[in-house]
Amino acid sequence: MKLTATQNRFLEEWIAFLKIPSVSADPTHKKDVQTAAHWVHDTLQKAGCQSSEIIQTPGHPIVYGEYLENPEYPTVLVYGHYDVQPPDPLELWDSPPFEPVIKKTPLHPQGAVFARGACDDKGQMFMHIKAFELMLEKAPLACNVKFMIEGEEEVGSDNLEDFVKSNKEKLQCDIILISDTGMLAQDQPSITTGLRGLSYMEVCVTGPNRDLHSGLYGGSVQNPINVLCEMISQLRDDNKKILIPGFYDKVLELSESERKEMAKIPLDLDAFKNSIGLDAVAGEEGFSTEERRSIRPTLDVNGIWGGYIGEGAKTVIPSKAHAKISMRLVPNQNWEEISELFTSYFKSIAPAGVKVDVTTHHGGYPYVTPSDTIGYQAAHQAYLETFGIAPVPKRGGGSIPIVPMFENELGVKSILMGFGLDSDAIHSPNEHYGLFNFFKGIETIPRFYEHYIRLWKEKQLV
Ligand code: BES
Ligand code: MN
Ligand code: MN
């Protein structure tokens, strides 16, 4: 791919950004997260924001920038996050996570940047700043733009919620624009019309008051790890239905016609399996793979530990066993309610001889957006023009809890214009983002503005 001078500059800036290890979950990176916030702040300023600020919070800062052209114009609020997931396990990376390299892959013959955050969400968020810069170079915009870029998305956006609740006036807007999701393929763009909610729990099973010799005590007392495994196995049945009473009560089932519409989405099952090294898929009985990973709720153990895990063998019955368990939720499940249902069910299945503690980490509501809005139409038109292919609507399986929160607090819908691919390995070792996707994004975003402004004006006239 022959890059123009401007594209080269954008690429260099993006790489500099990726070198800052802004891992929000890790307190040892607190300074780096601040550095990344300053970097975003300076970049917004240089791109053409008239004012910008770094808003400190009890956690990591929020970066806010404004371009207010005319109160009569529509206002687009761009959301993104500059924090990234921890890079572990480090030994599985082919190159260090914060030393970006450009490599070609079969899917990315033009090259992709490999680094933590390359796609999620530094790369995708940065496309918006660069698109804004390019638009302003041509002419003043016929809309206002507000950027709100946070540093705590990967740890639950706790402080963003408070910020939004107490700054509703400042954040007033007509549409929220976000690139923090994916699309189906480079030759099949899609627009995300839904996100799953999330309820994230941690459980601890305590048995004896100290670790015991498994010969002296084994067989006569509860082993917390055995118990934890038995309890986890009671969370789902053989058909992968979740056994928590009341769990499905509020699940909005799709109609037959909606399911038929969904079945049209091209998912190559063999390619799907191959891409993750599996010879079989698994999931809830009666649903397709695409349905299982978007419109159905799930329960997964994300981590489990306890006992002896060092070199060699140690014959021990541990005092404690732990697990982190998360549930992906769908409309109209309420994550606080689900967390409570989980807690009471989990405690109810505890056998005598152990104590069970359950804590709720964080959660988020699910989200759906209709496709008959001017925001969706503008996005549709934009992809159609730059890809030459009509984008399809697609419900996503991931969660961005602030999206439903924005809707509740600000009364504004979000347009999820993602340019990532499932194969980008977000949250995994060797995360990457294609140069094609990056520059296509920068090309598509200004078209969104153009069509949104046009449709917004048309709507004012009627
Ligand atoms: N950008 C992702 C969410 C995402 C990715 C949605 C791809 C759809 C497609 C976001 O950064 C993320 O990782 N969210 C977390 C939730 C958060 C509360 C930690 C998730 O989905 O696990
Ligand atoms: Mn993200
Ligand atoms: Mn993420």
Side-chain angles (χ1 to χ4, degrees):
M1 186 173 186
K2 187 91 189 77
L3 300 184
T4 66
T6 306
Q7 284 179 322
N8 259 315
R9 176 169 64 84
F10 288 179
L11 180 58
E12 276 169 28
E13 291 174 7
W14 174 29
I15 286 176
F17 187 26
L18 292 173
K19 286 184 182 168
I20 310 169
S22 48
V23 182
S24 51
D26 183 350
T28 65
H29 282 296
K30 200 166 168 59
K31 265 228 172 85
D32 299 313
V33 180
Q34 289 284 340
T35 306
H38 282 270
W39 194 94
V40 172
H41 175 261
D42 292 351
T43 307
L44 283 175
Q45 199 77 48
K46 280 186 214 140
C49 281
Q50 296 136 342
S51 68
S52 58
E53 51 188 317
I54 295 175
I55 298 142
Q56 296 295 341
T57 74
H60 302 301
I62 298 160
V63 186
Y64 182 77
E66 268 179 354
Y67 169 87
L68 301 182
E69 188 60 23
N70 186 330
E72 303 287 302
Y73 288 166
T75 301
V76 177
L77 188 146
V78 176
Y79 165 84
H81 62 95
Y82 66 83
D83 65 320
V84 301
Q85 284 277 327
D88 337 43
L90 282 175
E91 65 279 11
L92 295 183
W93 284 77
D94 295 331
S95 55
F98 299 108
E99 292 170 31
V101 290
I102 302 170
K103 278 193 295 194
K104 291 185 174 151
T105 73
L107 263 184
H108 298 287
Q110 294 155 328
V113 175
F114 284 73
R116 171 57 86 232
C119 173
D120 183 13
D121 181 42
K122 283 174 160 174
Q124 294 215 70
M125 179 272 277
F126 188 55
M127 298 180 317
H128 283 268
I129 306 183
K130 295 294 109 174
F132 172 68
E133 180 180 318
L134 287 179
M135 288 190 290
L136 277 184
E137 268 171 18
K138 284 197 199 139
L141 307 185
C143 70
N144 306 307
V145 186
K146 298 174 176 177
F147 287 93
M148 181 168 64
I149 315 294
E150 72 156 318
E152 295 190 301
E153 196 278 340
E154 300 291 10
V155 288
S157 304
D158 285 349
N159 294 297
L160 189 74
E161 182 158 358
D162 293 339
F163 177 73
V164 170
K165 283 183 175 157
S166 46
N167 287 280
K168 291 188 183 181
E169 194 100 338
K170 184 189 183 102
L171 300 174
Q172 179 283 321
C173 59
D174 297 281
I175 192 84
I176 298 168
L177 186 59
I178 305 176
S179 292
D180 194 21
T181 52
M183 57 178 189
L184 276 166
Q186 285 167 334
D187 57 2
Q188 182 52 70
S190 55
I191 301 172
T192 304
T193 50
L195 293 163
R196 285 195 283 193
L198 183 70
S199 168
Y200 203 110
M201 315 299 293
E202 183 162 334
V203 299
C204 175
V205 176
T206 307
N209 60 6
R210 60 182 169 88
D211 287 8
L212 303 175
H213 188 289
S214 67
L216 294 180
Y217 292 92
S220 65
V221 295
Q222 294 284 18
N223 176 328
I225 300 183
N226 291 24
V227 171
L228 177 60
C229 293
E230 285 155 14
M231 290 173 73
I232 287 172
S233 72
Q234 291 172 60
L235 293 172
R236 300 190 311 173
D237 70 11
D238 290 347
N239 293 328
K240 306 267 197 297
K241 279 262 185 285
I242 295 154
L243 294 170
I244 300 167
F247 184 85
Y248 291 100
D249 283 2
K250 294 197 174 161
V251 168
L252 193 70
E253 305 279 345
L254 259 62
S255 67
E256 272 316 305
S257 68
E258 283 173 307
R259 289 184 73 183
K260 270 206 188 111
E261 202 50 42
M262 248 196 99
K264 289 186 192 156
I265 296 173
L267 175 84
D268 180 340
L269 205 54
D270 285 325
F272 177 80
K273 286 187 281 191
N274 282 337
S275 71
I276 46 178
L278 291 178
D279 56 14
V281 292
E284 189 184 357
E285 195 67 23
F287 294 92
S288 71
T289 295
E290 200 48 50
E291 289 174 330
R292 287 167 177 172
R293 62 183 201 136
S294 64
I295 59 153
R296 296 301 296 167
T298 62
L299 183 151
D300 277 292
V301 180
N302 298 112
I304 184 162
W305 69 102
Y308 183 69
I309 53 165
E311 282 291 314
K314 180 184 176 192
T315 45
V316 66
I317 291 177
S319 167
K320 286 179 189 297
H322 312 256
K324 292 187 194 272
I325 300 172
S326 71
M327 293 160 280
R328 294 281 169 177
L329 311 176
V330 300
N332 293 320
Q333 287 177 299
N334 170 319
W335 77 265
E336 280 119 337
E337 223 169 86
I338 293 292
S339 300
E340 278 173 29
L341 291 177
F342 176 94
T343 305
S344 32
Y345 177 65
F346 202 73
K347 288 191 166 167
S348 78
I349 58 175
V354 297
K355 180 169 103 27
V356 171
D357 292 297
V358 182
T359 48
T360 304
H361 272 281
H362 55 72
Y365 289 91
Y367 179 74
V368 269
T369 181
S371 52
D372 59 358
T373 62
I374 62 166
Y376 186 91
Q377 283 160 20
H380 177 97
Q381 205 54 36
Y383 280 100
L384 178 61
E385 286 174 13
T386 56
F387 285 78
I389 301 158
V392 294
K394 186 188 175 303
R395 293 265 294 265
S399 309
I400 312 179
I402 47 82
V403 171
M405 191 268 287
F406 288 155
E407 183 173 10
N408 278 341
E409 299 299 330
L410 303 174
V412 183
K413 285 276 185 188
S414 295
I415 297 298
L416 302 164
M417 281 179 76
F419 294 91
L421 300 174
D422 284 350
S423 55
D424 289 343
I426 63 171
H427 295 204
S428 302
N430 302 314
E431 175 176 353
H432 57 283
Y433 190 42
L435 295 187
F436 171 87
N437 302 63
F438 178 73
F439 290 116
K440 228 3 165 208
I442 295 176
E443 193 189 330
T444 308
I445 291 162
R447 306 268 183 150
F448 170 84
Y449 280 83
E450 184 191 311
H451 290 294
Y452 184 73
I453 293 165
R454 175 180 58 78
L455 292 165
W456 186 86
K457 279 190 200 148
E458 283 174 19
K459 212 175 152 193
Q460 301 303 299
L461 295 175
V462 294

